[in-house]
Amino acid sequence: MDRGSLNTLVQAAVLAPSSHNTQPWLFRIRDDTVDLIADRTRALPVNDPNDRELTISCGCALFNLRVMAAALAQRADIEICPDPQDEDLLARVRLTRSTETESETTLASMIPLRRTYRQRFDDVPVAADTIAALAAAVRAEGAHLDVLASPAQRESAAELIARADTFQWSDPRWRRELAAWMHSRRRHDGLAMPALAVPLAQLVVRTFDMGGGVGAKDRELATHSPLLALVSTSGDSCRDWLATGQALQRALLTGVQRGLQASYLNQPIQVETLRPRLRELFGGARFPQLLMRWGHASRTLPASPRRPLADVVLQD
């Protein structure tokens, strides 16, 4: 496979979502092999102390790479965690020419259209067949999707979200970490905002505990979202997190195909003392990985900035 095509794969991979838009991945290209490497210099030690969400983000990038490989008529043979001595090497992808049409091919054109939509969705229900398609997408990658259908379930989840917001915002370390990832678009990463607004926004976030207001807003988003759902796995290892990321990205792209966007209300999973409470809400059999809201977006948002390939491709 020529270098230009390999770069095309990486360009698709880096359009995956990541916490605070940290983009915590690196790629090493050798002949027809692409290594996916965790960039732990971009970790969030307060928000994500075990690098769980970092690994999930890398799993999303891995699925994008798979999709684009299929679109380029390449078969992607993937080895997860191929070197026990190198915990940063998350996956090795070997590419070979293929005449078979992979099911992922149809998702390739959805990659640049996906957005993390943090605003309120249109008041339009998500169709039952679309929910079934999302659940099937998650299941295809070894994870599980539970829909919070009853008002009681939604209210319980919303309460946990608000409590988690209060907990996180009360921690000055968490606020400092959040502020550190508020950047102008020229930085190509982080929570992008106008350059002139960055210093004031960082000062406000570092200085003031806004957990009460944020919790109230997130409670409203949870209770009024057309679809609120939990992605969970039977285990809670690095392999499970990578599977979660691939399941997430397959579901996100499937949702875009059907006119949906999504965002995250992961706070109860991020707060160690509240994650078991969320697990109990679903019977306790699986580990909660992502709490998500889905719906029809009222407007199209600009894409979040991405680092140039030169910053994410390692040179031998």
Side-chain angles (χ1 to χ4, degrees):
M1 195 173 187
D2 63 85
R3 189 59 181 241
S5 297
L6 289 165
N7 284 342
T8 297
L9 297 184
V10 176
Q11 286 173 328
V14 301
L15 295 181
S18 58
S19 299
H20 295 3
N21 193 26
T22 52
Q23 303 171 51
W25 41 61
L26 295 168
F27 302 87
R28 182 169 54 227
I29 299 174
R30 292 174 174 166
D31 298 325
D32 290 335
T33 299
V34 180
D35 287 345
L36 170 61
I37 300 165
D39 185 352
R40 301 193 196 275
T41 68
R42 308 179 75 80
L44 300 169
V46 181
N47 191 66
D48 184 29
N50 298 315
D51 286 351
R52 185 185 61 83
E53 290 190 358
L54 181 152
T55 307
I56 290 173
S57 298
C58 289
C60 291
L62 178 61
F63 186 79
N64 274 3
L65 197 152
R66 285 171 52 191
V67 166
M68 189 52 64
L72 296 177
Q74 294 288 319
R75 170 176 170 153
D77 292 314
I78 300 172
E79 189 177 0
I80 297 297
C81 304
D83 184 353
Q85 304 303 314
D86 185 357
E87 64 177 12
D88 293 339
L89 178 56
L90 298 179
R92 176 161 289 154
V93 183
R94 291 184 174 87
L95 301 158
T96 55
R97 188 73 181 173
S98 174
T99 58
E100 298 180 6
T101 301
E102 300 289 343
S103 60
E104 291 88 356
T105 302
T106 59
L107 298 177
S109 61
M110 301 297 107
I111 292 174
L113 303 180
R114 182 209 60 81
R115 300 288 186 270
T116 299
Y117 196 83
R118 297 181 177 88
Q119 302 173 20
R120 184 163 177 168
F121 290 117
D122 288 344
D123 191 19
V124 178
V126 177
D129 63 334
T130 296
I131 296 174
L134 296 176
V138 170
R139 189 167 55 251
E141 301 299 328
H144 189 86
L145 187 76
D146 280 301
V147 174
L148 287 82
S150 71
Q153 267 191 323
R154 279 178 171 256
E155 183 55 39
S156 296
E159 171 63 23
L160 290 174
I161 292 165
R163 287 180 59 186
D165 279 327
T166 299
F167 180 90
Q168 289 180 324
W169 278 89
S170 68
D171 185 347
R173 299 173 307 134
W174 186 89
R175 298 202 307 270
R176 287 195 296 269
E177 185 175 82
L178 175 63
W181 283 96
M182 301 171 79
H183 298 160
S184 74
R185 295 188 70 87
R186 293 194 299 270
R187 287 281 300 273
H188 305 298
D189 64 4
L191 304 169
M193 58 181 58
L196 293 176
V198 171
L200 178 59
Q202 289 178 326
L203 177 64
V204 169
V205 167
R206 286 194 301 262
T207 305
F208 297 105
D209 178 354
M210 297 184 288
V214 173
K217 178 184 176 182
D218 286 343
R219 180 194 288 271
E220 194 273 342
L221 286 177
T223 55
H224 291 92
S225 292
L227 176 62
L228 190 65
L230 179 77
V231 178
S232 60
T233 53
S234 57
D236 200 30
S237 67
C238 179
R239 289 177 177 271
D240 295 298
W241 302 339
L242 283 169
T244 297
Q246 293 184 84
L248 167 62
Q249 192 67 1
R250 183 186 280 274
L252 290 172
L253 299 182
T254 299
V256 174
Q257 273 188 322
R258 292 168 173 261
L260 300 182
Q261 296 288 359
S263 65
Y264 312 91
L265 292 167
N266 290 334
Q267 299 92 313
I269 304 173
Q270 294 164 345
V271 176
E272 184 178 1
T273 56
L274 295 180
R275 192 182 183 200
R277 297 283 303 277
L278 191 63
R279 186 179 183 183
E280 291 168 6
L281 189 60
F282 291 90
R286 290 181 291 271
F287 292 90
Q289 302 293 354
L290 299 162
L291 185 57
M292 305 183 61
R293 49 187 292 271
W294 304 76
H296 297 272
S298 59
R299 64 191 186 96
T300 301
L301 300 179
S304 297
R306 286 297 186 270
R307 294 192 287 161
L309 286 190
D311 290 357
V312 300
V313 175
L314 298 177
Q315 301 297 332
D316 287 334

